[in-house]
């Protein structure tokens, strides 16, 4: 409907679709018609970290543009220019994974930063705990109606950062350790997509991750 309207100030109409991987099958099929025959001078930009989830018919009709992460130094310097203290800017830049938007969110919303740090503390504790403790933790998350997708996103970023750090530190990293980390990441990604796109039981899905830790 919006793309059928004429632009007010520009010769082009531009539409951004954030988290395009969250489009379910029905939505992707509906969107395909718009993508094939957009009305007027239209630019459609799909933003996603998981392009493999999109239909091949969609991927074949778009141009893929990859964006590299911003360096920690640039993010730290930018945060300091925004009034962020040195120590805090160093902490935020180290956990924002090259994403300036995420870094600014941490800076502007202290509660978000605190929640992130708490969830990292919890996942570290879970790795050292037995299955009974882990399953009790899952039960608590579900009963308190926490944002499971948000928590999984934090875990994904955390384990990916560990994996990259291990690869960078040595030319011959411990293959068993890397294999284990990849297994954890793959499991979290699998559960992440299941929870986003299906009505899978949250408790049972999260328990699968607990078994992998």
């Amino acid at each position: 409907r919006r793309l059928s309207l004429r632009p007010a100030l520009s010769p082009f109409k531009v539409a951004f679709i954030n988290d395009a991987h969250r489009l379910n099958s029905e939505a992707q099929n509906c969107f395909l018609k718009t993508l094939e025959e957009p009305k007027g001078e239209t630019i459609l930009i799909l933003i996603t970290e998981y392009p493999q989830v999109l239909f091949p018919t969609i991927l074949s009709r778009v141009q893929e543009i990859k964006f590299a992460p911003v360096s920690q130094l640039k993010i730290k310097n930018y945060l300091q220019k925004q009034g962020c203290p040195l120590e805090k800017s160093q902490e935020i830049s180290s956990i924002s994974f090259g994403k300036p938007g995420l870094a600014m969110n941490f800076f502007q919303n202290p509660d978000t930063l605190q929640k992130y740090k708490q969830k990292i503390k919890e996942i570290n504790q879970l790795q050292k705990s037995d299955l009974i403790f882990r399953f009790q933790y899952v039960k608590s998350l579900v009963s308190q109606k926490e944002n499971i997708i948000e928590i999984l996103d934090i875990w994904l970023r955390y384990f990916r950062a560990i994996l990259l750090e291990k690869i960078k530190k040595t030319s011959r990293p411990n293959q068993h350790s890397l294999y284990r980390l990849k297994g954890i990441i793959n499991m979290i990604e699998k559960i992440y997509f299941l929870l986003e796109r299906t009505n899978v039981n949250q408790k049972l899905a999260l328990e699968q991750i607990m078994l992998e830790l």
Side-chain angles (χ1 to χ4, degrees):
R1 184 186 65 82
R2 290 189 179 185
L3 294 178
S4 67
L5 303 175
R6 291 187 177 184
L9 302 174
S10 166
F12 285 93
K13 294 170 289 183
V14 180
F16 289 87
I17 301 177
N18 283 311
D19 295 330
H21 57 272
R22 299 183 69 176
L23 292 166
N24 60 26
S25 298
E26 183 180 359
Q28 289 194 47
N29 281 322
C30 291
F31 176 68
L32 188 58
K33 183 176 181 181
T34 301
L35 187 63
E36 289 175 329
E37 300 176 1
K39 297 181 179 180
E41 299 293 338
T42 301
I43 298 175
L44 299 170
I45 300 176
L46 286 72
I47 302 174
T48 177
E49 294 181 79
Y50 309 101
Q52 68 273 17
V53 177
L54 298 174
F55 288 170
T57 47
I58 288 180
L59 294 176
S60 66
R61 288 167 171 79
V62 298
Q63 177 184 354
E64 184 177 0
I65 301 175
K66 295 183 178 180
F67 292 86
V70 178
S71 70
Q72 285 190 26
L73 179 60
K74 287 185 177 180
I75 291 178
K76 184 189 73 172
N77 291 340
Y78 179 78
L79 289 172
Q80 287 183 264
K81 289 179 181 178
Q82 303 304 308
C84 184
L86 174 60
E87 185 176 346
K88 189 174 182 180
S89 67
Q90 289 175 331
E91 177 187 30
I92 292 176
S93 63
S94 68
I95 62 174
S96 58
F97 309 103
K99 298 181 178 182
L102 181 60
M104 285 302 298
N105 189 25
F106 283 150
F107 173 47
Q108 296 172 346
N109 301 285
D111 289 345
T112 303
L113 178 60
Q114 187 59 39
K115 182 176 182 179
Y116 173 87
K117 292 164 69 174
Q118 178 61 33
K119 293 307 173 188
I120 295 306
K121 182 179 179 181
E122 290 172 5
I123 195 66
N124 278 324
Q125 183 180 7
L126 287 170
Q127 288 186 285
K128 302 172 184 176
S129 304
D130 58 28
L131 280 178
I132 295 176
F133 183 87
R134 296 178 189 179
F135 285 178
Q136 285 295 330
Y137 176 81
V138 167
K139 184 178 179 180
S140 175
L141 283 184
V142 175
S143 64
Q144 293 175 22
K145 299 187 183 301
E146 295 228 27
N147 189 331
I148 305 300
I149 293 297
E150 184 179 324
I151 293 172
L152 292 182
D153 189 53
I154 292 173
W155 291 355
L156 267 178
R157 293 201 299 263
Y158 173 67
F159 283 113
R160 285 173 180 166
I162 294 177
L163 179 62
L164 290 174
E165 188 65 25
K166 284 183 176 294
I167 293 174
K168 289 178 181 178
K169 273 188 174 180
T170 174
S171 58
R172 299 182 63 183
N174 184 300
Q175 293 301 316
H176 176 73
S177 177
L178 294 184
Y179 181 80
R180 183 172 175 276
L181 277 170
K182 289 177 181 178
I184 294 173
I185 292 170
N186 289 338
M187 178 57 71
I188 296 175
E189 285 183 336
K190 177 183 175 182
I191 300 304
Y192 181 98
F193 286 121
L194 281 174
L195 292 176
E196 270 202 325
R197 302 166 71 86
T198 70
N199 292 321
V200 67
N201 184 291
Q202 286 188 339
K203 182 173 178 292
L204 292 177
L206 290 174
E207 285 176 349
Q208 292 297 310
I209 297 176
M210 297 300 108
L211 291 171
E212 191 72 31
L213 291 179

